[in-house]
């Protein structure tokens, strides 16, 4: 009976070892890189430093965006050059998402990997992103000028997920997921998985009838 009990315990431990592989996750917080989140200071560079540090790290990486209001006046543009999973996650407070906003005509969050070898897995979740678009009028500053921007732009990746975000006031697209500069030929790789769920996209539009 004792031998049977030992065999059962051994089998259970072996099953757990194979069914629950241990994966290491590294966390980065934009606050640790100097982001103030006071609604006034331009936090572009601290956030970029955090994102670039995360992108240089292999494995599963989570960039934490604590609840606050972050102002940026330049695009948060980063590139993944090594295979990894990058998660950019907002941490809410009392049901409110952290807000990243800009008064500039920019794509706010722009994540890509090389077109020739897309290898990254990216998730953006739990954020509020706000641009500077305004309702349509005959005096609209961007109407028919030939340029678009995006709230979230993910290019040339292996996988992408955009979940539970609020994206507002971008002249162009709230969310763009696709390939860049492919020309007339098909890129050598395509996304193996795309998930876009539970996002609120508000006042994101653009029109260039003569361009």
């Amino acid at each position: 009976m004792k031998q049977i009990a030992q065999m059962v315990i051994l089998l259970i431990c072996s099953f757990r070892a194979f069914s629950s592989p241990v994966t290491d996750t590294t966390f980065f917080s934009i606050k640790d890189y100097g982001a103030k989140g006071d609604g006034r200071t331009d936090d572009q560079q601290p956030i970029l430093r955090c994102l670039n540090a995360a992108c240089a790290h292999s494995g599963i990486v989570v960039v934490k965006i604590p609840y606050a209001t972050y102002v940026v006046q330049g695009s948060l543009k980063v590139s993944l050059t090594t295979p990894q999973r990058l998660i950019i996650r907002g941490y809410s407070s009392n049901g409110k998402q952290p807000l990243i906003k800009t008064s500039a005509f920019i794509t706010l969050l722009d994540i890509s990997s090389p077109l020739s070898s897309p290898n990254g897995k990216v998730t953006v979740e739990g954020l509020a992103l706000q641009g500077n678009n305004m309702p349509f009028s005959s005096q609209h500053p961007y109407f028919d000028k030939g340029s678009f921007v995006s709230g979230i732009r993910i290019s040339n990746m292996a996988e992408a997920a955009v979940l539970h975000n609020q994206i507002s006031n971008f002249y162009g697209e709230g969310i763009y997921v696709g390939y860049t500069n492919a020309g007339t030929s098909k890129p050598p790789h395509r996304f193996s998985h795309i998930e876009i769920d539970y996002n609120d996209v508000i006042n994101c539009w653009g029109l260039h009838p003569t361009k």
Side-chain angles (χ1 to χ4, degrees):
M1 179 65 70
K2 185 177 180 181
Q3 287 182 328
I4 295 174
Q6 288 175 336
M7 289 178 64
V8 170
I9 292 172
L10 181 60
L11 287 170
I12 291 173
C13 292
S14 298
F15 173 77
R16 287 179 176 173
F18 282 101
S19 63
S20 303
V22 176
T23 55
D24 293 330
T25 301
T26 304
F27 290 86
F28 293 78
S29 173
I30 63 172
K31 289 286 191 176
D32 294 336
Y33 288 79
K36 295 185 179 300
D38 58 11
R40 301 183 303 276
T41 304
D42 186 351
D43 282 323
Q44 181 202 12
Q45 291 305 314
I47 296 175
L48 271 178
R49 285 196 296 269
C50 183
L51 289 170
N52 283 322
C55 288
H57 200 284
S58 61
I60 301 174
V61 181
V62 177
V63 174
K64 300 169 65 175
I65 315 288
Y67 176 75
T69 297
Y70 305 92
V71 173
V72 299
Q73 299 303 342
S75 182
L76 301 173
K77 185 173 184 178
V78 293
S79 178
L80 275 68
T81 57
T82 58
Q84 64 165 253
R85 182 181 179 193
L86 173 66
I87 302 168
I88 302 174
R89 178 178 294 156
Y91 288 79
S92 300
S93 176
N94 296 321
K96 294 183 178 180
Q97 297 169 313
L99 171 64
I100 304 176
K101 67 178 184 177
T102 183
S103 60
F105 184 66
I106 57 171
T107 290
L108 192 49
L109 184 56
D110 191 347
I111 309 165
S112 65
S113 71
L115 178 63
S116 59
S117 57
N119 52 27
K121 301 177 181 179
V122 174
T123 299
V124 180
E125 59 185 13
L127 293 174
L129 303 179
Q130 185 181 98
N132 70 342
N133 195 16
M134 58 191 68
F136 175 78
S137 74
S138 58
Q139 286 80 41
H140 195 287
Y142 308 131
F143 176 72
D144 207 23
K145 298 295 192 299
S147 296
F148 291 121
V149 296
S150 304
I152 297 173
R153 184 179 183 88
I154 300 175
S155 308
N156 312 333
M157 291 290 170
E159 298 183 11
V162 183
L163 309 169
H164 300 281
N165 301 285
Q166 184 182 88
I167 304 157
S168 61
N169 300 342
F170 289 91
Y171 188 81
E173 303 151 319
I175 301 168
Y176 171 90
V177 177
Y179 281 89
T180 59
N181 301 322
T184 57
S185 61
K186 293 181 179 180
H189 305 278
R190 293 189 178 276
F191 284 86
S192 61
H193 178 81
I194 297 174
E195 183 178 2
I196 302 175
D197 281 325
Y198 306 108
N199 300 284
D200 292 328
V201 179
I202 304 165
N203 191 37
C204 294
W205 61 275
L207 186 62
H208 302 300
T210 67
K211 303 298 182 184

